[in-house]
Amino acid sequence: DLQSLDAGSCCGLTALTVLDLSSNRLKALPEDLALLTSLRSLSLDNNQLKALPCMQDWTSLLRLSASNNELNCLPATFSSLVSLQTMVVNNNLIDVLPANLSRLTSLRSFDISYNCLRHLGLPDNGLHQLSSLTSLEAKMNEIAELSVPGLAGTCMFEGLEVLNLKGNKLLSLPQEVLHLHRLKELDLSYNLICEAKDFLSLGGMQLDKVLLQGNPLFKDNAELRAFEDDHQGLVSFIRSQVEMHMERRSLTDLPALVLKSRELRHLFLSHNLLLKLPETMTSLTSLQTLHVDNNRLILLERWISELQSLTDVNLSVNNLLLLSPIARLNALVQRLSKVCRSFQDQLTSTAEYLKMLTMPTFTK
């Protein structure tokens, strides 16, 4: 039932490695707590703390827990915890994450659930650069975006396996999720997500568990509604999908999960920032529909003729100046049902230009 610690009470405890002060009534911590440089585990749960002490010299700390307090921020020196592996600060009043989180190179598990975050501060704070992070719990906040508004699309968290965003204010699937190649568990339940088509883009990921219940998307999708409480069935359903909608995501490269979806038949990439399509797309042997309109494509390369199943292609509103010689252009021309409507006013359609290239005077 401690209410305070006297100043100087920690001065002689420099060899201390484990300190548990949880479930007291502490409102503040003495400054000399920062002198415990040998600490490896510190528990401060269930107190009334409004701030944490300076952490600059706690380079040996492995675990820090400060849940159920009244913290409204983490100290700037938080980034000095270079050995920290587990951080738990749920049930506080934190509304922003500190800068320089990329220095926490040992952090594996971060729980900041039940706080007041509106976004995760990406990419400004460097959290996305933590390749060692495998679990991120951020449920029951006020998160509407993962990135700082206007900076969405950050490729992040190379090692993340568990992402929990339950009970936030997301309106759609965060586009950053599509870059989490090692993700196994995704919880987006009880948000405000309406569009079911966003989740069909997860089919190329190796997810074992997807939780979506409590979102409006189930109300208007009878096929998906059957899986609202069937987590394993939902995963199987998503994996079975053959259609991906990735429009308006500011993509500059094609996410790897697209290339892993060998059964993919319909791919929509409209209104992005793509400069070229990767040749590795030739692995999409079942692809029938390809919409890449309103991008920044400059060149349509010869390998596209290997996509023998294509029946619907839209390349309009790009910057196409050249179509590389293609060995089997005639076959491709016959399969195009939607074509470029403008090549910077130089061409009226892709089909017209393709036919011109296949005239008898054309040589390879």
Side-chain angles (χ1 to χ4, degrees):
D1 203 25
L2 287 173
Q3 297 184 34
S4 64
L5 295 177
D6 291 339
S9 58
C10 300
C11 291
L13 303 176
T14 55
L16 198 65
T17 60
V18 178
L19 179 59
D20 189 345
L21 294 171
S22 58
S23 299
N24 281 287
R25 290 191 291 168
L26 296 171
K27 295 183 178 181
L29 296 170
E31 293 183 3
D32 59 328
L33 192 68
L35 300 177
L36 305 182
T37 57
S38 297
L39 274 180
R40 296 172 64 86
S41 176
L42 176 61
S43 297
L44 300 169
D45 302 329
N46 302 306
N47 281 284
Q48 301 169 27
L49 298 173
K50 298 183 182 298
L52 294 177
C54 176
M55 302 178 177
Q56 185 170 350
D57 298 320
W58 288 356
T59 56
S60 298
L61 194 67
L62 301 178
R63 187 182 190 280
L64 174 60
S65 182
S67 298
N68 295 298
N69 280 283
E70 300 174 14
L71 304 173
N72 56 29
C73 66
L74 295 174
T77 53
F78 177 59
S79 60
S80 300
L81 305 179
V82 293
S83 299
L84 192 68
Q85 297 179 4
T86 302
M87 178 70 175
V88 184
V89 285
N90 56 51
N91 285 283
N92 279 283
L93 304 172
I94 299 170
D95 59 2
V96 65
L97 295 177
N100 300 319
L101 294 181
S102 59
R103 298 177 183 175
L104 304 178
T105 54
S106 300
L107 191 63
R108 300 185 60 187
S109 178
F110 189 18
D111 188 347
I112 195 165
S113 303
Y114 294 93
N115 276 280
C116 304
L117 294 174
R118 295 183 179 180
H119 55 74
L120 293 181
L122 310 174
D124 287 358
N125 57 29
L127 181 64
H128 63 293
Q129 298 177 25
L130 299 180
S131 59
S132 60
L133 192 67
T134 60
S135 176
L136 178 58
E137 299 273 346
K139 63 185 176 183
M140 306 307 292
N141 277 273
E142 300 175 12
I143 296 173
E145 298 178 88
L146 298 193
S147 300
V148 173
L151 294 177
T154 302
C155 185
M156 58 181 189
F157 302 124
E158 293 179 4
L160 198 65
E161 298 178 2
V162 177
L163 177 59
N164 190 339
L165 295 170
K166 175 182 178 179
N168 279 283
K169 296 184 178 181
L170 295 168
L171 298 175
S172 62
L173 173 70
Q175 63 190 53
E176 296 92 341
V177 171
L178 301 175
H179 297 284
L180 305 181
H181 307 313
R182 296 186 182 180
L183 196 66
K184 300 296 182 183
E185 297 183 15
L186 175 63
D187 190 345
L188 295 173
S189 57
Y190 299 99
N191 276 273
L192 304 173
I193 300 171
C194 297
E195 291 290 339
K197 67 179 183 179
D198 286 350
F199 293 93
L200 305 184
S201 300
L202 298 174
M205 300 179 70
Q206 301 303 310
L207 289 166
D208 296 327
K209 186 176 182 180
V210 179
L211 302 179
L212 297 176
Q213 69 265 31
N215 279 287
L217 64 90
F218 291 101
K219 295 180 180 179
D220 301 322
N221 192 309
E223 186 177 19
L224 200 58
R225 193 180 305 133
F227 303 105
E228 183 169 7
D229 297 312
D230 181 3
H231 307 149
Q232 293 302 319
L234 180 60
V235 171
S236 299
F237 175 76
I238 290 175
R239 288 180 176 174
S240 70
Q241 296 309 295
V242 295
E243 182 171 309
M244 283 193 185
H245 287 265
M246 310 185 87
E247 303 100 322
R248 302 181 186 276
R249 299 183 185 273
S250 300
L251 296 176
T252 56
D253 295 296
L254 205 60
L257 69 91
V258 174
L259 304 175
K260 295 179 181 178
S261 305
R262 300 305 170 89
E263 301 302 317
L264 187 63
R265 296 182 185 177
H266 310 287
L267 178 57
F268 299 89
L269 296 166
S270 305
H271 296 276
N272 280 293
L273 304 173
L274 298 171
L275 292 172
K276 64 179 298 186
L277 298 176
E279 187 170 355
T280 45
M281 282 184 64
T282 54
S283 63
L284 304 178
T285 54
S286 300
L287 195 63
Q288 298 175 7
T289 302
L290 177 61
H291 285 196
V292 205
D293 55 285
N294 290 276
N295 276 272
R296 299 178 179 180
L297 298 180
I298 297 174
L299 174 66
L300 184 65
E301 301 183 78
R302 67 175 68 235
W303 57 261
I304 197 171
S305 64
E306 297 182 26
L307 300 177
Q308 293 292 297
S309 299
L310 275 177
T311 60
D312 183 343
V313 177
N314 189 344
L315 298 168
S316 63
V317 194
N318 276 281
N319 296 320
L320 288 169
L321 297 173
L322 179 65
L323 303 178
S324 295
I326 305 175
R328 289 169 289 194
L329 280 174
N330 284 323
L332 180 60
V333 170
Q334 295 172 2
R335 294 196 301 270
L336 291 176
S337 62
K338 290 186 179 180
V339 294
C340 289
R341 290 185 288 272
S342 65
F343 285 169
Q344 295 180 338
D345 297 326
Q346 297 179 42
L347 301 171
T348 57
S349 70
T350 301
E352 178 182 345
Y353 190 53
L354 291 174
K355 291 176 182 178
M356 179 181 69
L357 290 179
T358 54
M359 294 175 63
T361 55
F362 174 70
T363 58
K364 297 181 182 177

